[in-house]
Amino acid sequence: MTAHGAATPATERPHGAQHTAAAFAAVYGAAPTGTWAAPGRVNLIGEHTDYNDGFVMPLALPHTTLAAASARTDGVLRLHSGGADGGIVELRVDELRPAPQAGWAAYPAGVVWAMREAGLPVGGADLHYDSTVPTGAGLSSSAALEVVTALALNDLYALGQEPQRLAQLAQRAENAFVGVPCGIMDQTAAACCTDGHALFLDSRDLTRRQIPFDLAGEGLRLLVVDTRVKHELGDGAYAERRAGCERGARALGVRALRDVPYAHLPGALARLADDPVTRPLVRHIVTENHRVEEVVALLDSGRTRAIGPLLTAGHASLRDDFKISCRELDLAVDTANAAGALGARMTGGGFGGSAIVLVEEAGAPAVGAAVTQAFAAAGHAAPRIFGAVPSAGAHRVE
């Protein structure tokens, strides 16, 4: 599910704290108390492992969702988006109830609901949003919207919640209020990433390590290829994969697939020989966790170029075992690698969205041109290609 229904593409709309504050004033008739930002993300490696208690490695993008906000004393929640059709959505905080598939406003409304369910004294608020996070591109526009709302309310009501706790509340909003059974990665990335780093996250105990990821300093670049194929995580396919993973964990007698050691994978797969649906899901999760650990070791040893084949192996696993790729994503990955990329894979929930491509800086233009030409030759819409620069997590904009 996408977080904003945009009449104008997000990256083409005016953006910036001053613009967002001015838009708030135009909508609500007064200046906001403040403006906050939360980023989209790409996941370097570790796909669909977070809801299996596994390892992930996202990095925040410079593309953000901005929220200008003020508290209210009458229990009314008013929401307005510069990228959504329609006017102000007005709700009462004491009447909020889970509303699966209820449109973009369900995401911030769900955050208010989750905070109140957790016993936090959140009242009404006026909020206006602007975003440059592409929607439907697998770059987590929904988590950016949730986390920026949580941070704004945390400050407006002086709740004192730490970033990881805000991420957990945002995840609960998406799980229980919106109805998407996502893991914790996207919200943690939006809340906790730091500039110039990739975030190594253990999804079970939520321990985090910021790993330096200075691609420019090494003559490298990470490209994002937005295929412009929209995915809808709420359509059941995501939930089916999660249910299959949980079924596999039960069959293997473990709490989660995280608990199947890579060295024991052949034996685990043998036990699932009679379940052709669950078996490949288990194989992907166990091998993907191992790939994350391999990438961490390579980055720690300064061998950034060597992670490329692991990215490509991750794509093959998502394509063949998890079966969540699509022809546009496969074309982007195959073409980029053929044009000289060090490695490439789809990123995000799947069924469309974006691919990431690790390239030498000097080769980036040629790789981008090759992918664009391949899309044109196949009759696909032109992809949007841009560099992923590791950026800061959610923060108040002064």
Short mmCIF file of all heavy atoms in Angstrom, two decimals, residues 22 88-89 100 123 236 306 314:
data_model
loop_
_atom_site.label_atom_id
_atom_site.label_comp_id
_atom_site.label_asym_id
_atom_site.label_seq_id
_atom_site.Cartn_x
_atom_site.Cartn_y
_atom_site.Cartn_z
N ALA A 22 4.59 27.01 5.10
CA ALA A 22 3.70 27.96 4.43
C ALA A 22 2.43 27.27 3.98
O ALA A 22 1.32 27.84 4.06
CB ALA A 22 4.42 28.60 3.24
N ILE A 88 -8.98 18.41 3.73
CA ILE A 88 -8.60 18.01 5.08
C ILE A 88 -9.39 16.78 5.49
O ILE A 88 -10.61 16.70 5.30
CB ILE A 88 -8.86 19.15 6.08
CG1 ILE A 88 -8.00 20.37 5.74
CG2 ILE A 88 -8.60 18.69 7.51
CD1 ILE A 88 -8.37 21.60 6.53
N VAL A 89 -8.68 15.80 6.06
CA VAL A 89 -9.33 14.65 6.69
C VAL A 89 -9.45 14.96 8.18
O VAL A 89 -8.45 15.21 8.85
CB VAL A 89 -8.52 13.36 6.48
CG1 VAL A 89 -9.17 12.20 7.21
CG2 VAL A 89 -8.38 13.06 4.99
N PRO A 100 -8.39 -1.06 8.00
CA PRO A 100 -7.60 -1.58 6.89
C PRO A 100 -8.04 -1.01 5.54
O PRO A 100 -9.24 -0.88 5.27
CB PRO A 100 -7.84 -3.09 6.96
CG PRO A 100 -8.18 -3.34 8.40
CD PRO A 100 -8.95 -2.13 8.82
N GLY A 123 -3.14 13.99 22.27
CA GLY A 123 -4.45 14.57 21.97
C GLY A 123 -4.56 14.88 20.49
O GLY A 123 -3.99 14.20 19.64
N GLY A 236 -2.41 -8.98 -0.15
CA GLY A 236 -2.43 -10.35 0.29
C GLY A 236 -1.16 -11.13 -0.01
O GLY A 236 -0.85 -12.09 0.69
N ALA A 306 33.34 -6.11 -3.17
CA ALA A 306 33.07 -7.54 -3.12
C ALA A 306 31.64 -7.87 -2.72
O ALA A 306 31.23 -9.04 -2.82
CB ALA A 306 34.05 -8.22 -2.16
N GLY A 314 21.21 -12.32 -3.96
CA GLY A 314 19.97 -12.02 -3.24
C GLY A 314 18.80 -11.82 -4.19
O GLY A 314 17.68 -12.25 -3.91
#
